Amino acid sequence: MMNRVIKRVCSVYFSPTDTTKKVVSTISETLGNKLLLPVEVFDFTLPKGREKPLKFNENDIVVIGTPVYAGRVPNVLLKFLDTMEGEGAISIPVVVFGNRNYDEALFELCEICNKSGMKNISAGGFVGEHAFSYILGKGRPDKDDVDKIKKFALLISEKIEKTGDNFDNIVVDGGPVKKYYKPQDEFGNFIDIRKVKPKVNENCNNCKKCVYVCPMGSISIENVREYTGICIKCGACIKKCPKNARYYDDEGYLYHKMDLEKSFERRAEIKIFV
Ligand SMILES: Cc1cc2nc3c(=O)[nH]c(=O)nc-3n(C[C@H](O)[C@H](O)[C@H](O)COP(=O)(O)O)c2cc1C
């Protein structure tokens, strides 16, 4: 029996290249339709979306997603996510990875939700086109993924209807959270891409799109070739540039991208925990 009133589905995501957005929105909208609930969007991709803490309560179903960066929840989000207040909401943590692996990220996001006071009814690791590449996980989430994502949402709605709030916190793989995935060169030396930033070529017509899509707010509006803050290599300024004017020329980065494209050609499958 359900002894709480669920009033809305919250569609919550950080998604520089829109694959996490697609996964989270598909789950939220399917759930909203099935349970006849309104869907409210909390997009915390841009700095403005992280000005105030996320706040939910026991009347909410919270579908929350982040991409997988280095096998983990992006570390630049941890401080912000630590301020999230869940207050008894039902949560559905999802991570989206670029056809390699989600490693510890799903476990980590589940822990973050629990720490904020939410209980995880279900969770999943989904695949999105890799931010570094146009080949790795090309076009994903694709039609096959979307069908599976909708089925996942329907299974959750059945579970909610059946158990109400009387369910156990879902157990996922990948824990405990210990380390970040580190790329290596052909000799086994670690490649450090933390300081790498995209360059700009002559195609740039100064439209400033890159300024507005940078989740770190790090591209100078006066001079789009200049960085005023950190670059997290999220791919937004590269993939969203209408002129294809931004690119990487760092040897370590390019080696890592090529190595990923070679090593992870197979189709990675999504993994759900219901
Ligand atoms: C810095 C960085 C690190 C990443 N690390 C991983 C990883 O460890 N495993 C993986 O499969 N994909 C990895 N990816 C790919 C992203 O998880 C993937 O592109 C995701 O779909 C991006 O989400 P978005 O479209 O919502 O921004 C990484 C991407 C970036 C930018």
Side-chain angles (χ1 to χ4, degrees), residues 195-227:
K195 295 249 160 74
V196 174
K197 294 180 177 74
K199 298 258 172 74
V200 184
N201 69 26
E202 66 284 357
N203 293 346
C204 174
N205 64 354
N206 206 21
C207 75
K208 318 275 190 207
K209 175 113 194 204
C210 52
V211 176
Y212 302 119
V213 300
C214 174
M216 297 296 110
S218 290
I219 300 176
S220 163
I221 191 147
E222 282 87 31
N223 175 6
V224 296
R225 290 171 161 76
E226 215 177 84
Y227 290 88

Side-chain angles (χ1 to χ4, degrees), residues 2 30 37 50 86 109 117 120-121 199 245 272:
M2 179 110 60
T30 311
L37 293 168
R50 301 189 298 274
L109 189 59
N120 303 319
I121 188 163
K199 298 258 172 74
I272 58 168

Side-chain angles (χ1 to χ4, degrees), residues 15-20 67-71 96 98 100-101 129-131 233:
S15 187
T17 61
D18 295 337
T19 62
T20 309
V68 174
Y69 286 180
V96 181
R100 186 186 68 77
N101 207 317
E129 181 172 297
H130 201 295
K233 269 66 67 186

